[in-house]
C-alpha cells in the first residue's frame, strides 16, 4: 500500500505540475488512474473504492473496436504486458498441448520434464496418459534405455496482466493485476 500511496502522490503531482503535497488522485489522467489502480497490491484495485470506476471503464473500453490502452506518460511504464501462465518449475521447459503439422502451436500450456529411465521391452509402449500427465517415450538404437517426457498442465495466473514501473532509483518493478469484475 505504501508504494501505491507514493505513486499516487508522485504521478498526480507530476501530471498536474503542482507540489506533491497538493496533489489529488482524482485529478490524474485516466491512464495514470489505471496505472495507479493496477499497481495496488494489498488490497488489489477491487478493494479500493477510488479504483473501481476507472478500472470498470477500462474493462468496458477493451470490448470496443479500436481499443487503445490509456497510457500514463508521466510514469514511463507504457502499455501493460500479459502472461497467462505461471512459470514452469525448475527442471522443466514450456510445452504445448496442441501442435499442427505445419508448425503451428497452441497455447504454451504445459510444463515438460525429460527423464532418462530404463525399461524392459515389454514396458515400451508409445504413449500413456495418467491423471493429467502425458508421458511420451522414445527409444533409439536398440538400447535398453529410454527417454520419458512427462507433461503436466501449466497453471494459469490469477493476475495475468502486469506493468513494469520504474521506482525512485529507476529500477523497474513488476506489478501484477487482473481485470476480473
Amino acid at each position: 500500500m505504501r508504494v501505491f500511496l507514493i505513486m499516487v502522490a508522485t504521478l498526480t503531482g507530476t501530471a498536474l505540475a503542482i507540489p506533491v503535497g497538493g496533489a489529488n488522485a482524482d485529478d490524474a489522467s485516466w491512464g495514470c488512474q489505471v496505472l495507479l489502480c493496477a499497481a495496488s497490491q494489498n488490497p488489489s484495485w477491487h478493494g479500493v473504492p477510488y479504483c473501481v470506476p476507472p478500472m470498470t471503464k477500462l474493462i468496458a473500453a477493451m470490448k470496443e473496436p479500436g481499443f487503445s490502452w490509456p497510457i500514463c506518460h508521466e510514469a514511463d511504464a507504457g502499455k501493460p504486458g500479459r502472461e497467462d501462465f505461471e512459470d514452469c518449475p525448475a527442471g522443466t521447459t514450456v510445452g504445448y498441448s496442441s501442435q499442427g503439422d505445419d508448425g503451428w502451436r497452441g497455447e504454451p500450456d504445459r510444463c515438460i520434464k525429460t527423464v532418462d529411465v530404463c525399461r524392459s521391452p515389454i514396458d515400451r509402449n508409445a504413449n500413456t496418459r495418467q491423471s493429467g500427465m502425458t508421458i511420451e517415450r522414445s527409444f533409439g538404437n536398440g538400447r535398453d534405455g529410454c527417454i520419458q517426457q512427462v507433461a503436466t498442465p501449466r497453471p494459469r495466473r490469477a493476475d495475468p496482466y502486469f506493468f513494469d514501473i520504474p521506482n525512485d532509483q529507476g529500477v523497474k518493478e513488476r506489478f501484477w493485476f487482473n481485470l476480473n469484475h
Side-chain angles (χ1 to χ4, degrees), residues 44-47 51-63 158-159 161 177-181:
S44 73
W45 69 265
H46 302 88
C51 290
V52 175
M55 297 303 277
T56 302
K57 177 181 174 182
L58 173 69
I59 293 166
M62 290 175 74
K63 296 175 185 173
D159 298 327
Y161 294 93
F177 66 101
N178 69 59
L179 293 174
N180 301 331
H181 284 282

Side-chain angles (χ1 to χ4, degrees), residues 6-172:
I6 292 170
M7 286 178 48
V8 168
T10 303
L11 290 176
T12 54
T14 304
L16 300 171
I18 58 175
V20 173
N24 184 348
D26 291 327
D27 295 331
S29 70
W30 181 39
C32 290
Q33 290 174 350
V34 166
L35 181 67
L36 292 167
C37 293
S40 179
Q41 301 295 300
N42 193 13
S44 73
W45 69 265
H46 302 88
V48 180
Y50 162 83
C51 290
V52 175
M55 297 303 277
T56 302
K57 177 181 174 182
L58 173 69
I59 293 166
M62 290 175 74
K63 296 175 185 173
E64 298 297 321
F67 168 74
S68 181
W69 199 277
I71 302 294
C72 179
H73 299 285
E74 297 83 8
D76 192 29
K79 294 180 181 179
R82 181 173 176 156
E83 293 180 10
D84 288 334
F85 296 96
E86 296 283 351
D87 293 335
C88 285
T92 64
T93 58
V94 173
Y96 300 83
S97 62
S98 60
Q99 187 168 342
D101 293 333
D102 60 356
W104 171 86
R105 294 180 179 181
E107 292 184 306
D109 59 354
R110 298 281 183 249
C111 294
I112 308 291
K113 183 173 186 170
T114 302
V115 182
D116 188 3
V117 298
C118 292
R119 298 273 188 217
S120 70
I122 297 170
D123 293 335
R124 293 183 180 182
N125 57 355
N127 293 317
T128 59
R129 283 189 138 324
Q130 298 175 336
S131 64
M133 296 188 300
T134 302
I135 302 173
E136 298 178 5
R137 296 187 176 110
S138 59
F139 310 93
N141 303 332
R143 297 185 307 223
D144 288 331
C146 65
I147 302 294
Q148 283 187 351
Q149 287 190 328
V150 180
T152 56
R154 191 171 171 199
R156 287 194 175 268
R157 291 186 186 277
D159 298 327
Y161 294 93
F162 64 88
F163 276 110
D164 289 330
I165 304 171
N167 64 18
D168 54 350
Q169 283 89 35
V171 177
K172 292 197 173 199

